[in-house]
Amino acid sequence: MTADPQSGPLLSVRDLRTFFSDRQGVIARLLRRKSGEVRAVDGVSFDVVRGETLGLVGESGSGKSTLARTVMGLVPATGGSASLDGRELVGLRRREWRPLRRRIQMIFQDPASSLSPRFRVSFLLREPYVINKVPPDQQASVDELLDMVGLSAEQANKYPHELSGGQARRVSIARALALHPEVLFADEPTAGLDVSAAASILNLMRDLRDRLGLTYVLITHDLNVVGYFADRIAVMYVGQLVEIGLGDRILAHPRHPYTQALLACAPVPDPHLNEGHLDNVLGGEIPSPHDPPSGCRFHPRCKYADPRCTDEVPRLEDLGEGEMVACHHWRRLDLTPQPPVEATAAAAAVAQTTL
Amino acid sequence: MAVAARDGKAAAVRAPAAGGALTRLGRLIREVARRPAGLFGLIVICLLLVVVVAAPLVAPYSPYAQDIVHRLQGPSLHHLFGTDELGRDLLSRVIFGARIALGVAIPAVLIAMFVGLLTGLISGYLGGGTDQVAIVGMDAIQAFPAVILALALLAVLGPSLRNVVIVIGVALAPGYARVVRAMTRAAKQNQYVEAELSLGASTTRIAVHHLLPNIAAPLFILIAMDIPSAIAIEAGLAFLGLGVPPPSPSWGALLADGFSYVLISPWAIIAASAALMLTTLGFAMLGETLRDVLDPKLSGTRRRRKKR
């Protein structure tokens, strides 16, 4: 993988699995009803090197958030491993996690509800230090934290419900960064924000990355967001990685049909370009990880599927240089001339002139 | 006026935003007093509290002083409520009875609240096996009507003021545990709990700092609503002879004694039931008004805000 041979990957995830069992009552268990499993994360492996930004994309329900929460130790892993700078994270007890919390942090999806409602911003910003018993000389002041995320000092006296979505998001970021983590998981950092607030949050995150040398794992379903500043992109589908590679390459030349379909779904801000563009749109819904399709999990929605896809599970094929894809037919398929915006525009222009 | 009322309520609901705890309490009381039922409840409870605190000053006689010659009298200038079968002044007994009623009900409800709060928080937050055990425990207690359970327990423990308090506390605790458990489970879903966890916060810290404040308000409502139940249970136990032992002037005991002589003089029963009724009504009304003020979502279809 792309691991820098000198330092090794900062975060390394291997065959990570998170299954949720269907909770059943005492009686159902006595009657030996088969209890189901939801394989939210099913054998995911990737590395993140220091200073890079990995974009983790996929539809809702593909297991992105669960993956992050598993790595963060908020959800117990069923198997596999995740290590931070060589330290295993899976199966750690809470006490063992403590010192690592300072190195790996996460910001959560919903800006409004990820701040405890009864406390002022100043309390919330001091909380990371109180919880982790950080000595005062290593603490940043509330003002410094607010300033870091571009908020004015007056915000310190506000309660979360008095903040706008963007402001709340900034407070969350400040809280996560208060401990000077090396790795930051960002779960849909732009969710619930309007376009301009989202853009300013992304700018802030990029500035902070450059300034503090942060390593991001950016979880999103929005390809415009990853395209904006992810170095590499990993595409998830029903709990598994289907493709991973350099951001520019994936956006320009997707290898997996699912990636291609995702790209085709990404909104293009010109209504005239949308015709034809939407031909590749994904039909149907993401299958339930409770009962994933046989063979390639994408086959029921894949227009290139053949009998082999129904029977045989495609391996995640390592193409070298950190490029991987899990598709039987990727070599055969010519997905490369992804309808780029210019091409579609040209085609539309041609169509118009011929009319 | 309606606008002012709404502002006041909003401030009371969005408590943390407004100044100190005292200002908030003052605002809450004003908001409660604005409603007729709430005003009635407040007045009754304030009167009751005054009577309880100043019982020896307010009561014209000692509740234990017998005057056999003037037994079973009706109301007169000497004995405003009349006298009982031993010639004791009923007004004084009712007044001292309030001490017993509240002296039992308030500690009992507080015990119920603390026990319920603890079990509810633990079982709601931890879930799983702990939760199941707690639920079975609550079900076991709630399977009996409160009075029957209290009777059975008292029969085992023996009647005394302390035991009555404990028994009523136990009987009422599952109600609190259930409410707290349900609210904890709901509050636990909030993303800030996960955010706190990812910062490394301990279970205790999350429960005390981040869950408790969000479930406190309904508990006050429940307390106000449960005090009348506790008073009624206490009176019931005393009526059956298993409450605070005689000669303590528990309202239930007054009823029981009066019941034996009801054909000769109904005044003991009238006095005791009037006291019981007023008190329970007062607390119930306060509780309902509190609920309306604190949590408008919970109140029924009744129009709450009166236009003036």
Side-chain angles (χ1 to χ4, degrees):
Chain A
M1 298 209 153
T2 47
D4 183 343
Q6 267 93 44
S7 59
L10 181 56
L11 180 71
S12 177
V13 174
R14 284 291 167 278
D15 194 27
L16 194 68
R17 276 161 293 151
T18 311
F19 300 167
F20 298 109
S21 64
D22 283 6
R23 260 287 170 78
Q24 287 192 341
V26 185
I27 292 177
R29 243 179 281 157
L30 285 178
L31 293 176
R32 306 239 163 211
R33 266 190 49 201
K34 192 175 159 263
S35 80
E37 262 178 343
V38 176
R39 302 177 157 224
V41 177
D42 195 0
V44 169
S45 304
F46 62 86
D47 283 331
V48 186
V49 293
R50 195 178 288 277
E52 88 167 330
T53 296
L54 176 73
L56 198 56
V57 297
E59 286 165 281
S60 312
S62 57
K64 300 163 296 187
S65 298
T66 309
L67 174 63
R69 285 157 63 212
T70 309
V71 175
M72 287 297 296
L74 301 174
V75 176
T78 312
S81 98
S83 58
L84 177 71
D85 212 4
R87 280 222 50 188
E88 181 59 49
L89 302 175
V90 168
L92 283 191
R93 288 182 207 177
R94 263 205 174 164
R95 202 160 295 153
E96 301 167 316
W97 246 112
R98 272 278 167 80
L100 291 163
R101 297 268 177 226
R102 297 186 62 173
R103 304 188 58 187
I104 181 165
Q105 275 293 322
M106 177 162 177
I107 50 178
F108 291 85
Q109 229 180 78
D110 187 344
S113 83
S114 55
L115 298 173
S116 191
R118 305 260 164 177
F119 297 100
R120 290 176 201 275
V121 168
S122 52
F123 178 94
L124 293 171
L125 287 178
R126 266 195 301 266
E127 218 184 2
Y129 298 126
V130 176
I131 291 171
N132 291 286
K133 302 190 180 67
V134 175
D137 54 305
Q138 292 176 34
Q139 295 184 8
S141 72
V142 170
D143 286 358
E144 282 166 343
L145 288 172
L146 286 172
D147 183 58
M148 178 177 73
V149 294
L151 291 174
S152 63
E154 298 108 69
Q155 312 293 343
N157 284 321
K158 290 197 172 164
Y159 285 92
H161 68 260
E162 296 170 314
L163 300 174
S164 72
Q167 289 171 330
R169 176 96 294 168
R170 283 165 193 266
V171 172
S172 288
I173 294 176
R175 253 159 78 85
L177 293 184
L179 296 170
H180 291 295
E182 294 155 58
V183 181
L184 186 65
F185 275 88
D187 192 356
E188 302 278 8
T190 55
L193 301 180
D194 63 56
V195 186
S196 64
S200 72
I201 289 290
L202 289 176
N203 279 332
L204 171 71
M205 287 181 64
R206 201 169 58 169
D207 286 354
L208 290 170
R209 175 186 65 180
D210 299 342
R211 197 138 48 96
L212 307 172
L214 290 169
T215 304
Y216 283 129
V217 178
L218 182 70
I219 299 165
T220 180
H221 60 266
D222 186 346
L223 285 156
N224 293 325
V225 171
V226 243
Y228 183 69
F229 76 122
D231 301 313
R232 285 193 307 138
I233 294 179
V235 183
M236 256 184 112
Y237 187 72
V238 200
Q240 297 181 328
L241 285 186
V242 295
E243 183 169 5
I244 184 166
L246 287 176
D248 298 339
R249 198 276 298 160
I250 286 201
L251 294 178
H253 309 294
R255 291 199 175 106
H256 197 283
Y258 178 61
T259 316
Q260 186 208 16
L262 270 187
L263 287 169
C265 293
V268 172
D270 182 343
H272 299 296
L273 297 182
N274 269 342
E275 307 154 35
H277 179 77
L278 286 176
D279 285 351
N280 272 320
V281 148
L282 276 170
E285 272 176 40
I286 186 164
S288 156
H290 186 94
D291 185 18
S294 64
C296 174
R297 291 184 173 186
F298 187 55
H299 84 259
R301 297 167 81 188
C302 179
K303 56 182 177 183
Y304 309 106
D306 66 4
R308 188 181 170 205
C309 300
T310 335
D311 302 331
E312 198 185 320
V313 179
R315 231 167 18 87
L316 192 62
E317 202 177 325
D318 194 341
L319 315 178
E321 319 227 323
E323 300 278 325
M324 294 178 144
V325 63
C327 176
H328 292 308
H329 304 304
W330 74 268
R331 274 174 225 280
R332 189 168 61 75
L333 298 177
D334 189 20
L335 305 174
T336 5
Q338 228 289 305
V341 173
E342 293 79 7
T344 329
V350 170
Q352 258 169 5
T353 46
T354 45
L355 277 174
Chain B
M1 205 56 220
V3 174
R6 197 180 305 119
D7 286 345
K9 191 206 299 183
V13 174
R14 219 192 309 113
L22 274 178
T23 351
R24 255 183 282 152
L25 188 67
R27 203 169 284 152
L28 182 66
I29 291 177
R30 237 177 298 143
E31 189 59 33
V32 168
R34 187 169 280 146
R35 294 147 204 264
L39 188 64
F40 174 79
L42 276 180
I43 291 174
V44 168
I45 289 163
C46 286
L47 275 178
L48 199 67
L49 286 178
V50 168
V51 162
V52 163
V53 172
L57 304 174
V58 182
Y61 301 89
S62 154
Y64 306 113
Q66 302 181 5
D67 183 3
I68 300 290
V69 181
H70 298 111
R71 64 197 289 250
L72 296 173
Q73 286 188 344
S76 65
L77 276 180
H78 292 287
H79 301 286
L80 282 177
F81 283 10
T83 58
D84 71 358
E85 78 280 5
L86 294 173
R88 293 174 293 200
D89 179 51
L90 277 173
L91 176 62
S92 311
R93 285 183 75 72
V94 165
I95 286 173
F96 276 87
R99 279 192 158 181
I100 294 177
L102 287 194
V104 168
I106 290 175
V109 168
L110 288 182
I111 288 177
M113 189 198 73
F114 279 114
V115 173
L117 190 64
L118 212 61
T119 1
L121 261 181
I122 292 174
S123 81
Y125 187 73
L126 296 183
T130 324
D131 188 31
Q132 305 235 330
V133 170
I135 290 185
V136 168
M138 292 177 219
D139 280 344
I141 295 178
Q142 288 201 314
F144 300 96
V147 182
I148 306 288
L149 179 75
L151 261 179
L153 286 177
L154 268 189
V156 177
L157 295 174
S160 74
L161 182 71
R162 192 197 59 185
N163 287 349
V164 171
V165 169
I166 294 174
V167 157
I168 297 178
V170 168
L172 294 179
Y176 291 85
R178 275 181 197 287
V179 170
V180 172
R181 173 179 172 272
M183 303 209 6
T184 308
R185 285 171 67 101
K188 208 177 95 176
Q189 302 303 319
N190 283 311
Q191 211 155 47
Y192 60 79
V193 173
E194 252 189 349
E196 295 296 329
L197 272 177
S198 81
L199 283 176
S202 66
T203 307
T204 328
R205 182 180 179 88
I206 291 174
V208 173
H209 273 76
H210 299 285
L211 296 180
L212 198 56
N214 293 309
I215 59 183
L219 285 187
F220 290 111
I221 302 169
L222 206 55
I223 287 176
M225 305 268 243
D226 260 1
I227 287 179
S229 324
I231 293 176
I233 297 175
E234 188 276 325
L237 290 173
F239 184 81
L240 295 170
L242 273 168
V244 185
S248 289
S250 161
W251 291 342
L254 294 190
L255 278 176
D257 292 345
F259 188 63
S260 320
Y261 297 90
V262 67
L263 291 179
I264 306 168
S265 159
W267 294 107
I269 288 190
I270 292 172
S273 12
L276 257 175
M277 195 193 70
L278 264 179
T279 312
T280 47
L281 197 65
F283 275 107
M285 288 197 152
L286 178 77
E288 275 193 27
T289 317
L290 265 182
R291 183 192 62 192
D292 286 358
V293 172
L294 285 175
D295 197 345
K297 275 176 290 180
L298 282 179
S299 58
T301 48
R302 212 152 38 90
R303 253 194 83 76
R304 296 181 313 276
R305 210 177 297 122
K306 200 174 79 176
K307 273 211 179 118
R308 283 188 217 171

